Amino acid sequence: MHARALLRLTFGNLASAIYLGIVGATVVFEVAAATIGDPGMVGVWTFLVTAPTSLFFAMLCEAIWGVSDTSVWYLGVAVALSALIQAFILGALTETVRGRLRRPAAG
């Protein structure tokens, strides 16, 4: 797969763009809540929007570094990677469904 196709599937279709926009909105809301006051449980939404991939990466970080030793930076990178992976998968599924709908049914 070429880099152009990878970028098109990750960023270049409507479903992936909407998904990445939702993830970005949760991150902005989390940063705003942390800046204004006590964020409480706001950070959970970013993990839930990027689940199950982010939960897998969090589990992997916990297995490697332990519960108390995991840096916030590792978890942030894990959430970002999760969003990109899931946007790619969503784009690939969208293209697959569109391709099947465009082809006439055999029979």
Side-chain angles (χ1 to χ4, degrees):
M1 178 176 290
H2 297 290
R4 177 178 270 165
L6 182 71
L7 289 173
R8 181 180 51 82
L9 289 176
T10 306
F11 301 105
N13 68 43
L14 185 62
S16 296
I18 289 172
Y19 173 73
L20 289 173
I22 290 170
V23 172
T26 60
V27 170
V28 168
F29 181 70
E30 181 180 349
V31 168
T35 303
I36 293 171
D38 183 29
M41 295 293 290
V42 174
V44 172
W45 285 105
T46 307
F47 276 100
L48 291 178
V49 170
T50 58
T53 314
S54 63
L55 298 176
F56 171 74
F57 281 132
M59 190 172 55
L60 188 66
C61 288
E62 179 183 337
I64 294 172
W65 289 285
V67 176
S68 61
D69 295 336
T70 303
S71 173
V72 174
W73 291 105
Y74 292 125
L75 294 176
V77 169
V79 167
L81 282 175
S82 299
L84 292 176
I85 289 169
Q86 291 187 168
F88 170 75
I89 292 170
L90 189 60
L93 286 174
T94 303
E95 289 295 315
T96 301
V97 168
R98 282 185 184 166
R100 288 187 182 166
L101 291 177
R102 286 184 200 143
R103 282 186 248 147

